[in-house]
Amino acid sequence: MDKLVVEGGNYLRGSLPVGGSKNTALPLMAASLLGGGSCTLTNIPNLKDVTTFAHVLRVAGAKVQFDPDTNELDVDASTVDYPEAPYDLVKKMRASFYMLGALLGRVGKARVSMPGGCSWGPRPVDLHIKGVKEFGASVELDQGYVIAEAPNGRLPGGSFKMEPSSVGATINLLLAAVRAKGGSRIENAAQEPDVVVFGEALKAMGAKIEGLGTETIEIEGVDVLDSVDFRNSADRIELGTYMILAAMAGEPGDTVRLNGAGTKFLGNAFRDVFRETGADFTSEGEGADSYVEIAVPDELKPVSITTAPYPGFPTDLQAQWTVLLSQTRGEATVKETIYKDRFRHIPELRRMGLMALQGDGQVDVYGNAELKGATVMSTDLRASVSLVMAGIVAEGRTDVLRVYHLDRGYEELEHKLSDAGIDIRREEYDPQEAEPQRAAELPT
Ligand code: EPZ
């Protein structure tokens, strides 16, 4: 098993590249099944979630080639003939559940395993199921699988108001509705950029969609969709992670540059609170040549945040923000409104000296923390990156165990950080040796 070993105390310097968006790449890959031909997706990040989903597409019969050197993914969907997504893959990666909408949209039927839970609690898919039912599918649950069927092989279409707004359910319902016989409407739809960019790709394929990025999306079903080549957007969460890291680990007065992304998809809430800390940024463009420059402040001011659906503060950046708050001169609160229990990083950060008081769906973070290196355990993707960030500003050595969580969402992280002045390396370790010692340290 791999761990990342970080020697704290070095400034983050120079520049880092931002890769393609994980959370847009996955729905784009699902959409590639709807065209029925071959397409090339570019700026696809080399992540475990991408390779897992590529295998899910192969199980359905598609031919998929991914080149990690060019970040290009080729899909030939002409041979899709097996409308299933098996448990062993769906349990690995929840977004495999997009196969429900993709297979309903492509072949009018689907047998998809229910996704498992998550380290921070249940993540239901009731809205996905209710939605496709409203669009005319018959759905039954059998031995942990969702079995859905469109009457006479094609959904009639319908209308569904979701509560709460769900990124995944919006994506799944778009996949199901774009080739329906009639029209469909999604109310209280997710407005995240991941959904908008994915929806633009469907429109490029010939789908008729109005209202992307608003709370009501109208779809007029079409008979045929064309396979088109499409460039994935930059990863806004990777960008936000590095902006936060630059503000807290850059040298005061220095500038750190992040290449390949602009701040448009981060939303006003993040941009505003980021500047309230005293850090500043300039952003140029949104395409392959875009960049963001961070001006590192002399002192970081504590700024409280509350997560919310886009354009609110992204829940995927709240763990990272917590580490920044530990380096400010005061106290602030992180409120989580989307996943109440998304605080598995707090006990691990406490082992490094984080001073924080957890409440119901929130944590009060006290600044001026002199973090000390420790052996800590990753529990999920964004928690694991917060542990690396803490190790960068901590005194001494930090071993971040179980980085398979991190590898799901951050491409080549240790190489990108090493090239920007950080002392970090990947090492193998034997969980039998390293982790029981952890158990001995945990409170009885
Ligand atoms: C997507 O997950 C992202 N994953 C998550 O990023 C992100 O945290 C989340 O959106 C919120 O922004 C991908 O895009 C692959 P939701 P998703 O459905 O679609 C409730 C990361 O770190 N809900 O928008 O699963 C749910 O419990 C990952 O990259 C239902 O009640 O999130 C939550 O409270 C982690 N019923 C809220 O909606 C449902 O059927 C938002 O969840 C579906 C969701």
Side-chain angles (χ1 to χ4, degrees):
M1 202 175 283
D2 284 0
K3 64 181 177 180
L4 289 183
V5 178
V6 188
E7 300 290 351
N10 292 15
Y11 284 125
L12 185 77
R13 289 188 189 293
S15 67
L16 287 110
V18 177
S21 166
K22 165 177 85 79
N23 291 349
T24 312
L26 299 172
L28 288 177
M29 291 168 72
S32 71
L33 295 188
L34 294 174
S38 294
C39 70
T40 297
L41 301 177
T42 53
N43 200 29
I44 299 296
N46 179 22
L47 299 170
K48 280 179 65 179
D49 276 7
V50 167
T51 46
T52 300
F53 202 38
H55 194 48
V56 171
L57 300 183
R58 291 188 189 102
V59 166
K63 296 184 189 69
V64 185
Q65 294 287 333
F66 179 57
D67 182 342
D69 298 327
T70 62
N71 294 100
E72 281 193 9
L73 187 125
D74 295 308
V75 181
D76 172 359
S78 57
T79 50
V80 168
D81 56 3
Y82 184 66
E84 297 228 355
Y87 172 65
D88 63 320
L89 291 173
V90 177
K91 75 177 178 189
K92 266 190 203 165
M93 207 263 299
R94 171 188 171 75
S96 312
F97 202 65
Y98 293 156
M99 293 300 278
L100 174 67
L103 291 169
L104 273 175
R106 171 66 191 269
V107 296
K109 58 184 173 184
R111 182 173 181 273
V112 179
S113 168
M114 292 280 278
C118 193
S119 69
W120 66 73
R123 290 177 67 186
V125 287
D126 57 306
L127 297 173
H128 301 237
I129 294 168
K130 284 178 197 157
V132 295
K133 276 184 175 171
E134 288 298 323
F135 288 5
S138 65
V139 178
E140 59 169 346
L141 294 183
D142 178 38
Q143 294 169 44
Y145 278 76
V146 173
I147 299 163
E149 190 133 4
N152 309 315
R154 206 168 160 201
L155 288 178
S159 178
F160 181 60
K161 180 176 172 86
M162 59 178 73
E163 185 52 50
S165 164
S166 156
V167 171
T170 304
I171 288 167
N172 238 337
L173 295 182
L174 279 167
L175 287 162
V178 287
R179 286 201 56 235
K181 259 196 231 121
S184 302
R185 177 188 298 132
I186 306 170
E187 294 184 24
N188 196 23
Q191 303 174 43
E192 270 68 6
D194 315 318
V195 176
V196 174
V197 174
F198 155 73
E200 292 301 336
L202 289 174
K203 289 171 77 171
M205 295 170 72
K208 291 190 169 41
I209 305 171
E210 295 299 328
L212 287 170
T214 74
E215 61 181 31
T216 303
I217 300 178
E218 307 269 3
I219 305 111
E220 190 189 320
V222 295
D223 295 339
V224 177
L225 288 174
D226 302 323
S227 293
V228 295
D229 297 346
F230 197 81
R231 177 178 170 79
N232 182 24
S233 55
D235 195 310
R236 63 196 182 98
I237 303 302
E238 185 183 14
L239 170 68
T241 302
Y242 296 156
M243 287 177 72
I244 294 167
L245 181 62
M248 55 179 263
E251 183 172 15
D254 198 3
T255 300
V256 177
R257 183 170 163 132
L258 309 176
N259 291 314
T263 57
K264 177 181 155 197
F265 286 160
L266 275 170
N268 288 330
F270 178 86
R271 289 192 293 265
D272 292 348
V273 293
F274 186 81
R275 285 198 164 115
E276 282 174 48
T277 66
D280 199 359
F281 67 87
T282 55
S283 175
E284 183 60 43
E286 291 298 330
D289 302 330
S290 57
Y291 64 85
V292 179
E293 285 194 339
I294 314 302
V296 183
D298 294 332
E299 187 178 301
L300 277 172
K301 300 186 187 78
V303 181
S304 295
I305 62 111
T306 301
T307 67
Y310 189 85
F313 189 101
T315 173
D316 294 347
L317 288 173
Q318 62 103 328
Q320 300 91 316
W321 194 260
T322 299
V323 184
L324 176 137
L325 292 179
S326 77
Q327 302 303 299
T328 64
R329 293 272 178 277
E331 178 191 335
T333 300
V334 171
K335 274 195 189 124
E336 172 60 68
T337 67
I338 295 179
Y339 300 110
K340 290 274 184 211
D341 307 325
R342 196 175 186 174
F343 293 106
R344 298 284 305 277
H345 47 288
I346 297 295
E348 296 302 309
L349 288 170
R350 277 207 184 101
R351 301 185 67 249
M352 299 176 70
L354 175 80
M355 297 174 289
L357 202 57
Q358 242 181 291
D360 175 26
Q362 70 175 55
V363 60
D364 294 331
V365 184
Y366 301 97
N368 303 304
E370 299 291 327
L371 299 181
K372 298 263 187 302
T375 298
V376 287
M377 189 87 77
S378 302
T379 51
D380 63 80
L381 166 54
R382 307 302 174 184
S384 49
V385 81
S386 75
L387 299 175
V388 172
M389 295 167 77
I392 287 168
V393 294
E395 182 197 322
R397 168 172 162 159
T398 298
D399 288 28
V400 181
L401 308 183
R402 298 191 185 180
V403 286
Y404 58 82
H405 291 290
L406 193 93
D407 293 339
R408 294 190 49 188
Y410 288 92
E411 183 179 1
E412 304 282 327
L413 183 67
E414 67 271 25
H415 299 136
K416 292 182 180 180
L417 292 176
S418 298
D419 291 346
I422 301 303
D423 184 343
I424 181 171
R425 63 185 184 276
R426 180 180 290 254
E427 284 184 4
E428 278 199 28
Y429 76 99
D430 177 352
Q432 304 304 322
E433 285 165 19
E435 291 177 10
Q437 177 243 339
R438 291 264 301 103
E441 284 174 25
L442 290 175
T444 49

